[in-house]
Amino acid sequence: MKFKISFFYSALLISSILVLTNCSSRMNMKRLLPAERPEIIPGKPALHYAWITGHLKYSKSGYQWVSGNYYQIPQGKKSWVEGRYVMRLGRYKYINSYWQ
């Protein structure tokens, strides 16, 4: 009986440590990604233009902010899909933006 109880608590302790370690490493990685900057969006220059919001771009010197701008909507396209950072295997990976 003592063996069953000690095994249960050992398994519980180990699983708790694994969960907490995994959560804290994810939180630390998320803190490394800077916050997006607020932008003031000026008036639209023409009917067939769309505002593309600013985004973070990674370079060897760290994350750099690329300001938003208006871009002409390509013929046959209707909307812009924003790029985004996703966590994969403990690292951030940037998924590129595109027109669809």
Side-chain angles (χ1 to χ4, degrees):
M1 182 71 165
K2 287 183 182 179
F3 175 74
K4 287 182 181 179
I5 292 173
S6 63
F7 179 76
F8 171 76
Y9 285 115
S10 297
L12 182 64
L13 177 64
I14 290 170
S15 63
S16 298
I17 290 171
L18 290 173
V19 167
L20 290 174
T21 303
N22 192 23
C23 290
S24 65
S25 66
R26 284 184 185 170
M27 288 189 305
N28 289 336
M29 290 299 292
K30 286 182 181 178
R31 287 186 196 142
L32 296 176
L33 190 61
E36 292 187 5
R37 296 182 184 179
E39 295 183 300
I40 298 172
I41 302 172
K44 191 184 251 191
L47 183 61
H48 299 292
Y49 280 75
W51 176 258
I52 307 301
T53 57
H55 62 278
L56 291 166
K57 181 178 180 179
Y58 186 76
S59 66
K60 290 180 182 179
S61 60
Y63 289 99
Q64 304 295 320
W65 181 255
V66 178
S67 296
N69 204 349
Y70 277 103
Y71 293 92
Q72 190 169 8
I73 301 170
Q75 192 171 16
K77 304 296 181 180
K78 295 185 180 187
S79 62
W80 176 255
V81 178
E82 294 289 335
R84 64 194 180 284
Y85 282 93
V86 295
M87 177 73 73
R88 291 205 179 141
L89 302 173
R91 293 181 166 213
Y92 281 107
K93 177 173 175 59
Y94 187 72
I95 307 298
N96 287 325
S97 307
Y98 60 94
W99 289 99
Q100 65 177 14

